[in-house]
Amino acid sequence: MTNSRSTLNKPDAEFLAQANTVNEQCHLNESGWGVDGARLTQFDALLLNANTAYAANNNKATKNAITSANKKVTFGELKHFEGPFIDYLEANLNVPDAALEFMGLRPRQHHAHQPLPRPTIPLVMSVKRLHDELTVYVAEPEHDQPTASVAPAHYHGFMLRYRMEEEPDYQTVISTRLHHTLYFERADEGKRIHLSAAWVNPRLEPGPWCEEISEVIG
């Protein structure tokens, strides 16, 4: 018995964030868990297609009927694969219960415990600008050098919110890594963008937002 149905029925952004987390953890623990390489390679390809299609359809400059249809197809293919893959992970006793829980999957043994609350400490954010893209880096206040992934004992990842100066509403994206790159069109060069970020718990609830940063694109 698995919770794959509830996992696959999440909203697009949450489903994709969780799929990225599962994939990342499988790569980090491939040897210890004995993850089947052929399955993981297939997972990589389907996830890349879904991430690419989602980014194109989530970009106001490129979104159209074709990107919407492509996102639907790639998400369907990923979900068709991930359902049995989740069953495979839960049947693999080399995958600890704590790892299943961190990936948002149901652990084999249920323990009465309180879910992790919202993070209470703001993160430290920095931005690297390169041509038509901005890469946002986050870290804990006491660490100067961000590492490759978020410490599972504390956070699920971080939420980035951003908006162009002339736009009233923020867009948000969730990353399970300690960095995220935003890509822009050539027409956006010279525009100012406002960014802020916050840690999120496994339920994707944000903690306090860090101080907002403003950058010029290009």
Side-chain angles (χ1 to χ4, degrees):
M1 187 77 176
T2 177
N3 67 336
S4 60
R5 177 170 296 182
S6 61
T7 297
L8 304 180
N9 288 339
K10 292 177 180 292
D12 286 349
E14 294 181 24
F15 163 71
L16 197 56
Q18 185 175 22
N20 278 296
T21 297
V22 173
N23 180 269
E24 179 184 62
Q25 291 302 308
C26 285
H27 274 289
L28 290 173
N29 299 281
E30 182 177 0
S31 177
W33 293 353
V35 180
D36 181 72
R39 296 191 200 210
L40 195 53
T41 298
Q42 185 181 2
F43 193 5
D44 290 343
L46 293 171
L47 186 59
L48 175 61
N49 290 341
N51 276 313
T52 302
Y54 179 80
N57 195 61
N58 201 44
N59 186 331
K60 292 180 180 180
T62 59
K63 182 175 182 178
N64 54 41
I66 295 176
T67 62
S68 178
N70 190 40
K71 189 213 72 172
K72 184 176 181 180
V73 169
T74 58
F75 270 54
E77 291 174 342
L78 179 58
K79 290 179 180 181
H80 182 73
F81 167 85
E82 198 175 2
F85 187 76
I86 290 171
D87 292 340
Y88 160 73
L89 289 179
E90 293 191 340
N92 181 357
L93 298 183
N94 291 321
V95 182
D97 281 351
L100 293 175
E101 189 171 9
F102 171 65
M103 291 185 289
L105 309 178
R106 189 182 68 184
R108 302 178 190 90
Q109 301 294 328
H110 294 279
H111 303 284
H113 62 83
Q114 294 297 319
L116 286 176
R118 290 175 183 264
T120 58
I121 300 175
L123 52 75
V124 175
M125 179 176 69
S126 59
V127 178
K128 181 178 179 180
R129 186 172 60 183
L130 179 65
H131 301 303
D132 297 328
E133 62 186 59
L134 293 174
T135 300
V136 176
Y137 294 90
V138 299
E140 294 183 270
E142 65 270 23
H143 293 83
D144 293 328
Q145 298 296 325
T147 53
S149 61
V150 177
H154 300 95
Y155 311 115
H156 174 78
F158 77 95
M159 180 180 293
L160 172 67
R161 66 182 184 187
Y162 60 95
R163 68 175 179 86
M164 295 291 194
E165 193 164 61
E166 69 275 11
E167 296 178 349
D169 300 322
Y170 284 94
Q171 297 187 58
T172 61
V173 64
I174 293 173
S175 173
T176 56
R177 299 177 181 270
L178 291 184
H179 58 85
H180 182 77
T181 300
L182 297 172
Y183 299 95
F184 302 95
E185 300 297 319
R186 188 59 58 88
D188 293 323
E189 285 190 3
K191 294 182 180 179
R192 182 169 292 277
I193 186 171
H194 304 287
L195 312 103
S196 185
W199 298 123
V200 293
N201 63 15
R203 290 181 291 171
L204 305 182
E205 296 173 325
W209 296 94
C210 71
E211 185 174 349
E212 190 170 85
I213 291 178
S214 294
E215 289 285 341
V216 175
I217 299 170

